[in-house]
Amino acid sequence: MKRRERQKRDAPVGPEVHPVKVPDLVAWLEKLKEERPEDLDRIEETLDILADYEAERDTDSLDAEVEQVNPRLLVCAKCRQKVLPGDVCCRGCGRRLVWNLRGGMR
Ligand SMILES: [Zn+2]
């Protein structure tokens, strides 16, 4: 138990990788609707949550933060393409740039 707790605390911060893919989960839930009509409300609710989650992820993938590597170099955080002040979209990956500058040293 102690060991497990420590592993959890030391785990790298970042998006967790889930073994189940959302489309698979949605397909399974759609099938479950027919098999378990008594749980229809709960299944619909879960599908709603998944749809919201997917929508949010889509928006997220269209945006890229601008990162300041040094005082004279700004790059797209997603593809590392050089970005010029005033750019709206990245020239490398085409994502919409989010000008929310943080220190670039990571
Ligand atoms: Zn980019």
Side-chain angles (χ1 to χ4, degrees):
M1 189 62 193
K2 267 222 157 79
R3 191 180 142 80
R4 213 183 140 77
E5 273 169 15
R6 199 175 53 207
Q7 276 180 342
K8 213 173 175 180
R9 205 182 54 217
D10 291 345
V13 181
E16 274 197 68
V17 179
H18 285 268
V20 178
K21 294 206 166 64
V22 172
D24 293 345
L25 193 58
V26 170
W28 178 75
L29 285 165
E30 291 288 352
K31 217 173 70 189
L32 204 64
K33 278 206 269 191
E34 289 163 30
E35 289 169 17
R36 304 277 300 265
E38 70 273 24
D39 286 332
L40 194 61
D41 284 354
R42 279 189 289 173
I43 295 168
E44 291 281 8
E45 201 182 315
T46 310
L47 283 167
D48 274 358
I49 293 168
L50 286 171
D52 286 352
Y53 168 82
E54 283 290 85
E56 200 163 301
R57 217 176 50 147
D58 275 357
T59 326
D60 198 46
S61 67
L62 293 173
D63 289 347
E65 271 187 60
V66 175
E67 213 174 282
Q68 187 157 26
V69 176
N70 66 47
R72 282 178 301 166
L73 180 59
L74 301 167
V75 298
C76 165
K78 293 273 159 75
C79 72
R80 317 306 295 174
Q81 169 76 33
K82 189 179 170 187
V83 165
L84 298 173
D87 279 357
V88 178
C89 291
C90 172
R91 288 152 210 262
C93 64
R95 291 184 172 91
R96 191 175 53 206
L97 295 169
V98 179
W99 290 85
N100 180 24
L101 289 181
R102 307 174 287 188
M105 300 304 166
R106 289 206 283 191

